[in-house]
Amino acid sequence: KGRNGRGVDMKCTKCDGSGWVIECDRSYETAKRCSCREEEDLASAWRRCLPPERSESMTLERFNPATDSQRKALMVAKLYASDPASSDKGLAFLGPVGSGKTHLLVSVAREVVRLGHSLSFIDFDRLASEVRAGYSDGIDDTAAIKRAVSRDFIVIDELGKGRGTEWESWLADKIVTHAYQRGTRLLVASNHGS
């Protein structure tokens, strides 16, 4: 099937390539997104979350557990991803390097976005640099942190990675505190505590 310049399926019989369908309900007509656009809309929403570049192939279906703990982690990930809004709690994957934490974390995040929730990936090192740069400019750290946690869900891979300074611990605590106060759920992977 061909696509027009906007990526809409030009052969779609429902919308005739416009990306919109008109539904009639009694005396009302409503314009709604055509199902041919759902995949494109989902891909666009995913890109806006700023996922890691290597995340394209990370899905729950593609995770191949090799150990009992990985099988259990996959089961927990699937359960959480099936209805992430039903709990006010987040999700943490703790374990050594190479244990599949990032794959599961990204896979859960992908399902959260598919279900229509707002989500953002936070690069802890980048946020720390932004906060430090703000100090040089006389800007309070609170604005950067509040902006970082301004979604329904935030994802932090490798939380605690870095030099492990007192300031980094303080920053991680401040992120968690602001997320909790706002009602933002944290999805976290870390080597610490494993």
Side-chain angles (χ1 to χ4, degrees):
K1 294 180 179 181
R3 294 202 176 260
N4 68 17
R6 294 182 310 262
V8 177
D9 188 345
M10 294 182 340
K11 302 273 188 195
C12 180
T13 57
K14 294 179 191 172
C15 70
D16 197 28
S18 71
W20 295 93
V21 292
I22 304 297
E23 292 184 355
C24 298
D25 182 25
R26 296 186 185 141
S27 60
Y28 295 100
E29 289 185 349
T30 308
K32 293 190 177 184
R33 294 289 263 176
C34 183
S35 60
C36 73
R37 290 293 298 262
E38 289 176 4
E39 189 174 318
E40 181 182 329
D41 291 346
L42 181 58
S44 178
W46 180 247
R47 285 189 303 273
R48 284 192 305 273
C49 296
L50 304 174
E53 288 182 27
R54 65 187 196 278
S55 67
E56 275 309 307
S57 65
M58 294 179 184
T59 65
L60 291 170
E61 294 76 25
R62 290 184 179 156
F63 184 77
N64 296 312
T67 67
D68 286 340
S69 63
Q70 287 176 329
R71 282 185 275 284
K72 183 177 178 183
L74 177 60
M75 185 177 68
V76 168
K78 285 181 175 180
L79 182 62
Y80 189 89
S82 68
D83 190 9
S86 67
S87 172
D88 62 352
K89 294 180 171 66
L91 184 62
F93 294 104
L94 308 176
V97 172
S99 60
K101 301 178 306 292
T102 297
H103 187 128
L104 290 172
L105 187 69
V106 168
S107 299
V108 169
R110 189 179 303 280
E111 290 301 306
V112 167
V113 171
R114 187 184 62 76
L115 292 170
H117 301 286
S118 64
L119 179 141
S120 184
F121 284 82
I122 293 179
D123 180 309
F124 186 79
D125 292 335
R126 187 175 60 218
L127 179 62
S129 295
E130 186 181 330
V131 169
R132 281 189 196 104
Y135 290 153
S136 301
D137 298 333
I139 300 171
D140 183 79
D141 51 48
T142 304
I145 294 169
K146 283 186 176 181
R147 188 171 51 256
V149 300
S150 65
R151 303 283 186 270
D152 298 332
F153 293 83
I154 58 172
V155 179
I156 307 174
D157 193 12
E158 301 299 341
L159 181 64
K161 177 183 153 195
R163 295 182 305 271
T165 65
E166 187 176 321
W167 182 80
E168 287 172 338
S169 295
W170 169 85
L171 181 60
D173 182 61
K174 196 154 185 173
I175 291 168
V176 170
T177 299
H178 278 281
Y180 174 77
Q181 290 171 344
R182 188 187 176 283
T184 298
R185 294 169 200 88
L186 296 172
L187 305 176
V188 176
S190 178
N191 296 333
H192 296 278
S194 61

